[in-house]
Amino acid sequence: MLATLGVLRLGVYRTTPRLTKRAALHQRREALKFSSASLQAKVDSFRKDVELYLPSNGDKVVFATAWLATDNAFVALMHEFFPEMLKGLNLVAIDTLHLFPETLECAKLVQEKYGKAALWKLPKDVSTLDEFEAKYGTAEDLDSADFDFVSKVEPFQRALEECQKEILITGRRMDQAAQRIELAVWEEGKRTLNPMVGFSWSDILDCVDKYGVPINRGHNYAFRCTSPIEATKRHLPDLPWVKVDLGKPFWKTTDEELRGSPPAPLIYVFKSFGDTHTTVPVEPHESERAGRFVRQAKTECGIHTRTTSAGGPHGGGLKNLMVQDASAAQALVEATTRTIVLNERQACDVFCLLNGAFSPLSGFMTEDAYNSVVTTMRLPEKQLFGLPVTFDLEDVSDIKTGDKLLLRWAGEDVAVLEASSIWKPNKVVEAKEVYGTSSLEH
């Protein structure tokens, strides 16, 4: 039985590159944002990025807001430094009909303070939760991919068409999740700007304080309990905790105020807000995203991963894994521990990955992605993908997770593959699920 291995990280491009001025600026800014720069340095970088990538009148620019602290900080910074651009751009919000009441309250405060009305979109042909459940079913009964499509992706696509979107702005940050750590300020293929990418959670809190940014009142709640409660159960009613309104955001309280008297052994707080059935409070030291999409394998709602324009690449952007810097390519090759000569089928898959033909894949599938595609025909983030794309080897006994492998084809170095997932697939199950038969004749 063959073993399967992934992920392909980067392709090796053998020609000498020419960096553009914009690319050089981008690299300089990324270096700044990875440093322990002050809030002022982050704001200065934000301003330069906005000036570089956005039209001064904001025409056909869309900012997708979920009324989170980072989103509201973006609006505050635009109001402070680019008021005319803020007037011209489109502020788009999606009401899934499953939002927290506190989120809707926060949305009203932001719109009123900055004089910027949002373009709201709801699931098609419904305007209340009862109508949603009558037409589509309950959130618990719907498959998560179907729920996301009808409540978020489809309404968002309608909004983009109405705004004639040319540039999309998001509030995503690198420190929010491992899946975002390599997020760029500017995504050329998607025409997407991520101006808050280098801000940390603490930067956002400093920004909230400095500019008086409205935030969700749910940040004031503390849930005190005596023992841990599984994240997958924290959405349930009548849990063994005491909910307390602290009267101010949890990060502005003392430990005594947060824990109460006598001190509660364990505290949960809301650091982020999505839909009520997939968002739970987390411990104060945990990431914002730790409380999102509980009971689900995905890490994004679909707006950032499943929204595409007509004729656009699957997943919204064409993946380009080629390394054009000759020294960087050489460094990748020198870091490899083993060389593998590809067969024709493997080479075909490698070149498809490198040039974006398998977008939104950025490498061979991991075991989790493989299992998801085999059983549901969807990637973990719920994009449709009909067949698994994996790298198979007869013998992996001398390969361990983290190893970098040099892939060669026709006498040339073509790619470096980092082994992040090594497993032995069940080919009978794969054949049955993917092709509908386990007959040896097939």
Side-chain angles (χ1 to χ4, degrees):
M1 187 70 69
L2 298 180
T4 305
L5 163 153
V7 158
L8 184 72
R9 292 295 187 192
L10 297 165
V12 178
Y13 195 19
R14 297 178 60 82
T15 58
T16 303
R18 291 198 303 266
L19 289 177
T20 64
K21 180 179 179 182
R22 176 171 288 187
L25 283 170
H26 173 69
Q27 289 183 346
R28 176 174 59 78
R29 289 176 184 148
E30 286 302 298
L32 168 66
K33 291 178 177 181
F34 269 109
S35 70
S36 57
S38 65
L39 174 62
Q40 188 57 53
K42 302 290 180 71
V43 172
D44 291 344
S45 185
F46 168 91
R47 295 174 65 180
K48 291 175 182 176
D49 289 329
V50 169
E51 289 173 346
L52 179 63
Y53 294 109
L54 299 182
S56 59
N57 61 2
D59 186 43
K60 297 182 181 178
V61 175
V62 172
F63 175 58
T65 179
W67 311 108
L68 303 176
T70 306
D71 299 333
N72 302 342
F74 167 82
V75 176
L77 291 174
M78 292 297 291
H79 184 267
E80 180 76 14
F81 300 109
F82 303 98
E84 292 304 312
M85 191 185 298
L86 178 62
K87 289 180 182 178
L89 65 77
N90 300 278
L91 184 64
V92 170
I94 306 301
D95 184 355
T96 66
L97 301 175
H98 295 76
L99 300 179
F100 288 86
E102 292 86 351
T103 299
L104 298 176
E105 293 173 11
C106 183
K108 183 178 179 182
L109 292 175
V110 172
Q111 292 173 95
E112 290 177 348
K113 177 163 184 171
Y114 301 112
K116 181 65 180 178
L119 171 63
W120 286 88
K121 291 297 180 183
L122 281 73
K124 193 172 183 178
D125 300 329
V126 297
S127 58
T128 67
L129 178 59
D130 288 340
E131 290 177 353
F132 180 96
E133 292 181 345
K135 182 176 179 65
Y136 300 110
T138 68
E140 291 296 332
D141 291 337
L142 277 169
D143 178 83
S144 63
D146 294 334
F147 175 84
D148 284 350
F149 182 79
V150 300
S151 70
K152 302 170 189 176
V153 177
E154 191 279 332
F156 190 58
Q157 288 177 325
R158 277 189 279 122
L160 296 183
E161 291 175 4
E162 183 173 330
C163 298
Q164 297 180 295
K165 184 270 297 182
E166 291 187 358
I167 296 177
L168 176 67
I169 307 172
T170 82
R172 293 177 292 171
R173 306 195 323 267
M174 287 185 292
D175 73 331
Q176 289 174 324
Q179 293 81 1
R180 296 182 176 183
I181 193 64
E182 296 181 353
L183 189 64
V185 172
W186 175 253
E187 298 177 270
E188 178 63 38
K190 295 183 178 181
R191 301 284 294 166
T192 296
L193 179 66
N194 305 300
M196 312 300 287
V197 69
F199 285 68
S200 66
W201 169 249
S202 60
D203 291 329
I204 295 301
L205 301 189
D206 289 343
C207 191
V208 166
D209 291 341
K210 180 175 181 178
Y211 296 100
V213 180
I215 53 173
N216 196 307
R217 184 165 56 86
H219 288 305
N220 295 6
Y221 303 149
F223 299 82
R224 299 169 178 164
C225 48
T226 57
S227 58
I229 300 173
E230 291 181 24
T232 55
K233 295 181 180 179
R234 288 183 216 151
H235 67 293
L236 298 173
D238 303 321
L239 292 173
W241 59 24
V242 177
K243 178 182 176 182
V244 179
D245 189 338
L246 302 168
K248 54 187 172 183
F250 70 86
W251 58 83
K252 290 190 174 184
T253 63
T254 64
D255 190 64
E256 183 179 0
E257 289 173 325
L258 187 61
R259 295 185 178 276
S261 181
L266 193 61
I267 300 292
Y268 295 114
V269 295
F270 277 111
K271 297 188 76 172
S272 185
F273 303 88
D275 294 309
T276 55
H277 63 290
T278 60
T279 305
V280 300
V282 298
E283 293 187 65
H285 69 272
E286 291 186 275
S287 163
E288 300 151 83
R289 308 292 290 181
R292 300 288 300 277
F293 310 113
V294 292
R295 302 179 292 144
Q296 299 179 5
K298 62 189 174 82
T299 61
E300 301 281 2
C301 69
I303 283 180
H304 302 305
T305 57
R306 296 174 60 194
T307 300
T308 58
S309 57
H314 186 41
L318 200 63
K319 295 292 183 179
N320 180 3
L321 306 183
M322 303 304 294
V323 177
Q324 297 189 23
D325 185 293
S327 60
Q330 184 60 34
L332 279 173
V333 172
E334 292 174 354
T336 58
T337 58
R338 175 177 168 179
T339 298
I340 295 175
V341 178
L342 303 171
N343 60 39
E344 188 172 357
R345 182 184 55 77
Q346 290 170 332
C348 179
D349 286 347
V350 167
F351 288 121
C352 283
L353 285 167
L354 297 182
N355 294 291
F358 286 157
S359 294
L361 296 186
S362 58
F364 287 108
M365 293 178 183
T366 62
E367 184 175 9
D368 287 342
Y370 166 84
N371 288 333
S372 179
V373 168
V374 167
T375 57
T376 70
M377 293 181 66
R378 291 183 183 273
L379 295 167
E381 296 296 342
K382 301 304 180 181
Q383 304 102 319
L384 284 170
F385 216 95
L387 294 171
V389 179
T390 57
F391 190 75
D392 56 287
L393 291 173
E394 291 283 357
D395 180 16
V396 294
S397 59
D398 61 343
I399 300 175
K400 62 182 183 300
T401 301
D403 283 353
K404 291 180 173 61
L405 314 177
L406 177 61
L407 308 184
R408 290 178 60 81
W409 168 250
E412 296 283 342
D413 299 341
V414 296
V416 171
L417 182 147
E418 180 181 330
S420 66
S421 183
I422 304 173
W423 79 100
K424 186 175 182 178
N426 187 322
K427 287 297 194 179
V428 174
V429 171
E430 179 181 332
K432 182 67 175 177
E433 294 286 347
V434 174
Y435 301 108
T437 178
S438 57
S439 170
L440 292 178
E441 295 179 357
H442 294 272

